[in-house]
Amino acid sequence: MKQYKVVQTFPVPLQDLLRAREDRYKYLDRFPELKNVELLEERKEGNKVYQKRKVKLAESLPKVLATLLSDPSLLEDSVFDISTNTHEFTIAPPGNDSIVTIKGFSVYKEISPLESERSYEVKVSSGVFLMGSVIETVIEEIHRHSLEKDKNSISEFLKKSD
């Protein structure tokens, strides 16, 4: 199992960051980097927002994984708690969580009135015989890169909504 942390800061108040986090998926036409993300389901229960998204990976999937997956995509199940600004998620190939599973927890918080951050604690695990650690390393790299792309899309959204 691979574990890592990622901390990203944004030069905006926390409320702006939270709004951008939520609203950018409503304007996917403005964000070509999110074109491979499809919102399958969303519901609110009390302070929690439950989402299921499908992330299509055909272009970015390494050959070692492509051969193991009949559907080159990942499903993300997530819960965002509005009262604590925490996000818990599990990402895995449809019906194949033994190949690879990403479990994460992120916290959105205010650093100062004009600066906020989100921090991630992530675990990647694979049950593929002899290849598990290679797959975990590859997926960690892909996931870190996707978090950076996500940060950039939020930053762009914040600029456009000024």
Side-chain angles (χ1 to χ4, degrees):
M1 178 187 325
K2 292 271 185 198
Q3 296 185 58
Y4 53 96
K5 292 184 180 189
V6 174
V7 177
Q8 300 173 330
T9 58
F10 297 84
V12 296
L14 178 60
Q15 284 315 113
D16 291 356
L17 173 59
L18 293 170
R19 188 170 36 261
R21 177 201 172 274
E22 186 175 330
D23 287 352
R24 69 205 155 101
Y25 284 103
K26 295 175 185 171
Y27 304 100
L28 287 177
D29 54 317
R30 287 197 235 162
F31 300 99
E33 68 274 13
L34 298 176
K35 72 180 182 308
N36 63 335
V37 178
E38 179 185 354
L39 183 62
L40 301 175
E41 180 185 320
E42 179 177 74
R43 72 183 193 285
K44 285 186 177 181
E45 292 178 15
N47 287 329
K48 296 188 177 181
V49 178
Y50 297 84
Q51 288 185 326
K52 184 179 290 251
R53 286 193 276 262
K54 183 173 188 170
V55 182
K56 297 174 196 98
L57 295 173
E59 305 90 47
S60 61
L61 204 60
K63 285 194 183 346
V64 69
L65 276 177
T67 59
L68 297 170
L69 300 175
S70 55
D71 179 355
S73 64
L74 297 174
L75 289 179
E76 176 183 357
D77 279 303
S78 72
V79 181
F80 189 83
D81 189 325
I82 297 166
S83 63
T84 59
N85 297 325
T86 55
H87 181 222
E88 226 172 315
F89 57 91
T90 301
I91 304 170
N96 277 323
D97 61 356
S98 64
I99 292 175
V100 67
T101 300
I102 303 166
K103 289 186 181 259
F105 184 78
S106 64
V107 179
Y108 290 71
K109 66 181 182 182
E110 179 180 89
I111 297 173
S112 73
L114 296 176
E115 190 175 24
S116 51
E117 78 171 24
R118 67 177 184 176
S119 59
Y120 285 87
E121 290 186 26
V122 183
K123 294 177 184 175
V124 178
S125 57
S126 173
V128 176
F129 184 66
L130 297 176
M131 295 293 293
S133 64
V134 172
I135 291 170
E136 290 168 0
T137 300
V138 167
I139 292 298
E140 175 187 357
E141 188 177 308
I142 290 169
H143 189 249
R144 281 180 182 267
H145 181 68
S146 76
L147 289 176
E148 193 57 36
K149 281 175 46 179
D150 191 51
K151 178 185 188 237
N152 293 339
S153 78
I154 289 174
S155 295
E156 283 300 310
F157 187 84
L158 288 165
K159 286 179 197 170
K160 290 177 182 179
S161 59
D162 279 345

